[in-house]
Structure formats: C-alpha cells, structure tokens
Amino acid sequence: VAHVLVASGMFPTAPLIPRIAISIDLLEFYSAIFERSGDAVTALARALRNLYSKRGWRALDQSV
C-alpha cells in the first residue's frame, strides 16, 4: 500500500497499514516554509517563490 501511495504522490503516515496520507507536494511546501521561517514577514512569499522555481515556474516581482 505504501508503494502505491508514494507512486501517487502521497506519503503514508504508517509503514504497514496507513490510515492517513499526506501530499508530498504539501511536505515540499512545508519544507520550503521551514527554510525561510526566520523571515517572518516574507516567509510565505519566499517559500512559494522557491517552490515555484524548483518546479520550473517563473515568478515575477519587482526585482525582475
């Protein structure tokens, strides 16, 4: 079951009989927020920009 969940983009919360699965995209987003948690005001914006950049999306802002 765990292999099928991971192949579907979900991470199981238990190795044998998972009752809940978390989106791997959500975990990646949380990791990006955690990396920038010191920047209290712009943490979410920078995390989203990093996440989008890793996925090949171009974020436009005033620094471009």
Side-chain angles (χ1 to χ4, degrees), residues 1-6 12 16 18:
V1 174
H3 294 291
V4 173
L5 285 171
V6 171
L16 298 177

Side-chain angles (χ1 to χ4, degrees), residues 9 13-14 19-20 22-23 28-30 35 43 48 50-52 55 58 63:
T13 58
R19 295 178 184 257
I20 298 172
I22 301 169
S23 167
E28 185 179 354
F29 178 65
Y30 179 80
E35 289 174 3
L48 283 170
N50 288 345
L51 181 65
Y52 291 152
R55 293 175 178 243
R58 184 172 176 221
S63 66

Side-chain angles (χ1 to χ4, degrees), residues 16-38:
L16 298 177
I17 305 172
R19 295 178 184 257
I20 298 172
I22 301 169
S23 167
I24 292 175
D25 292 335
L26 179 62
L27 293 174
E28 185 179 354
F29 178 65
Y30 179 80
S31 175
I33 287 177
F34 183 76
E35 289 174 3
R36 297 290 186 169
S37 62

